[in-house]
Amino acid sequence: MNTVKPATEYKLIQALFFVYAFLLMSWIPRFPEIKANLSLNLGGFGTLISTAALGGVVSLFFSGHLVHRYGIKRVILTNLWIMGIAYFFIVRTESAGIFLICNIAIGWSSSAYHICINAQGFDAMERVKNLTVSRLHGM
C-alpha cells in the first residue's frame, strides 16, 4: 500500500477543499442568465433555487453510510460527476422541471462532497498534526 507523507496529504486535502469551493461558486455568477433562460420572475427563481436544500438534507442522511460502505474516494468521484453533469444541464436548460432535478442533484452532490472532504480532513488531522479542518474552512 502506498503511503503519503503528511505534508503531501495536507496539500492534497487543500486541493479537495479548493475544488469544492470552486465548483460550488462557479455557477453563481450565471444566475441572471439562468433566470432569463427559464423566463421566471425573481420569486419563482428563488423558489427553484431553494430546492437544492432538499437534496442536501436527503444527502445528509445517506452520505455517511455511502462513505462507510464504498469509501471516500468512490463517493467523492461519483459526486463530482453528478455535480458536473448537473451544472452542464442546469446552465443550458429552459425547462423548470429539468432545472429542479439538476438543482436537487447539485444539493445532494455538494452535501455529499462536503461530508467526504470533512471526513478525510478529520482523519488526516491525526497524521498531519495540524488543525486541518478549521484552517481549511477558514481559507
Side-chain angles (χ1 to χ4, degrees):
M1 183 163 101
N2 295 336
T3 58
V4 178
K5 295 178 187 175
T8 305
E9 184 176 14
Y10 185 64
K11 288 178 184 173
L12 292 171
I13 291 173
Q14 284 178 328
L16 287 173
F17 271 86
F18 176 77
V19 167
Y20 174 69
F22 183 78
L23 283 173
L24 204 57
M25 292 298 157
S26 65
W27 78 296
I28 302 221
R30 298 192 73 180
F31 275 10
E33 175 190 345
I34 295 167
K35 183 178 155 288
N37 283 349
L38 295 172
S39 302
L40 292 173
N41 61 14
L42 202 54
F45 184 68
T47 302
L48 277 179
I49 284 292
S50 66
T51 59
L54 298 173
V57 168
V58 174
S59 174
L60 290 173
F61 292 115
F62 295 109
S63 294
H65 299 293
L66 293 173
V67 167
H68 182 70
R69 182 170 180 158
Y70 298 109
I72 288 176
K73 181 181 176 180
R74 282 186 181 171
V75 176
I76 280 182
L77 291 175
T78 302
N79 285 294
L80 276 173
W81 276 101
I82 292 170
M83 201 181 308
I85 291 168
Y87 282 146
F88 178 80
F89 286 111
I90 205 166
V91 297
R92 289 167 175 76
T93 188
E94 295 178 359
S95 166
I98 293 172
F99 181 89
L100 177 69
I101 292 167
C102 290
N103 201 34
I104 291 172
I106 288 170
W108 168 281
S109 59
S110 65
S111 177
Y113 190 94
H114 189 265
I115 289 167
C116 289
I117 60 176
N118 281 300
Q120 188 64 36
F122 280 115
D123 184 52
M125 273 201 302
E126 298 171 8
R127 292 180 298 282
V128 174
K129 306 286 189 230
N130 201 342
L131 296 174
T132 307
V133 175
S134 58
R135 182 167 289 150
L136 291 172
H137 279 230
M139 192 168 58

